[in-house]
Amino acid sequence: MLLRSEEIKRKIIHLSNSVIPLSYYFFVEDRLMMIWILLSITIFFVAVDYFRFRIGWIQKWFSVFFSSMLRKHELEGKLTGATWAFIGATISVFLFEKDIAVLALLFMSVGDTIAALIGQQYGKIKIGEKTIEGFAGGLVSCILISIFFPSVNWINRIAGSLIASLIELSPIPVDDNLMIPLISGGMMTLFRGIIL
């Protein structure tokens, strides 16, 4: 099945969320500075989400550039996935050590994107609206990403990858752009505390 152009654009935007953890890992050494950067951007995105239904020119601008890519619930006034991604990133950087926060956010941006693309393109075995093939693709991509983070114990990396992929597969009502980094990051932090 060929993906619609709007869906491809949405996945490219989702994948571009990896700029957040990569910027933190390579360029922003200070954790507090990263929190302030993310918090500022998050406030901006929340404000745009709020006012896009209340101020005409914002609604028109948003409609021209983004409406074709939005999910039904986003069109009906819920926060967009991009806004949830910045909320998740801000909380993750605040809560977790740098390597775990970066890895958890990469699970969200890269692993979730790969899972969706494989599931939509090749998925046959359905679990609700998701597929086993998408789950497997997301899990493998998360594990491969985690190889580049040897400071995180291999058991933690596999546990975090598995949890991130299970969250993507699960029909949880909370946006997975928030839940994937928070729960996978929390799991890796917990395991780091009990595994030497």
Side-chain angles (χ1 to χ4, degrees), residues 26-158:
F26 290 109
F27 303 115
V28 184
E29 293 185 10
D30 185 68
R31 184 183 195 176
L32 187 59
M33 179 181 290
M34 191 65 187
I35 291 170
W36 278 113
I37 291 170
L38 288 172
L39 185 60
S40 301
I41 298 172
T42 299
I43 291 170
F44 171 77
F45 270 73
V46 170
V48 170
D49 257 344
Y50 178 80
F51 288 115
R52 68 187 167 107
F53 291 101
R54 293 167 176 83
I55 297 178
W57 68 268
I58 295 179
Q59 185 175 29
K60 184 177 180 180
W61 173 82
F62 202 90
S63 178
V64 168
F65 289 101
F66 300 111
S67 285
S68 64
M69 294 182 281
L70 297 182
R71 302 283 191 239
K72 183 174 181 289
H73 66 277
E74 295 170 328
L75 289 169
E76 293 173 347
K78 302 294 185 182
L79 294 179
T80 63
T83 301
W84 282 117
F86 277 106
I87 293 172
T90 304
I91 297 173
S92 297
V93 172
F94 177 78
L95 289 179
F96 308 132
E97 294 178 35
K98 187 171 188 173
D99 53 355
I100 286 179
V102 170
L103 189 51
L105 290 170
L106 287 172
F107 289 163
M108 179 270 292
S109 58
V110 180
D112 188 33
T113 300
I114 298 299
L117 289 174
I118 290 177
Q120 291 172 25
Q121 193 74 16
Y122 304 107
K124 302 292 184 187
I125 308 171
K126 289 273 193 177
I127 297 183
E129 296 183 1
K130 306 295 178 69
T131 67
I132 290 295
E133 293 86 350
F135 165 78
L139 177 60
V140 170
S141 65
C142 287
I143 292 173
L144 290 175
I145 290 166
S146 75
I147 292 172
F148 296 97
F149 292 82
S151 60
V152 180
N153 182 285
W154 69 271
I155 297 177
N156 294 20
R157 299 197 306 261
I158 292 175

Side-chain angles (χ1 to χ4, degrees), residues 179-190:
M179 299 306 291
I180 287 174
L182 293 189
I183 297 182
S184 64
M187 179 65 69
M188 289 186 286
T189 297
L190 176 64

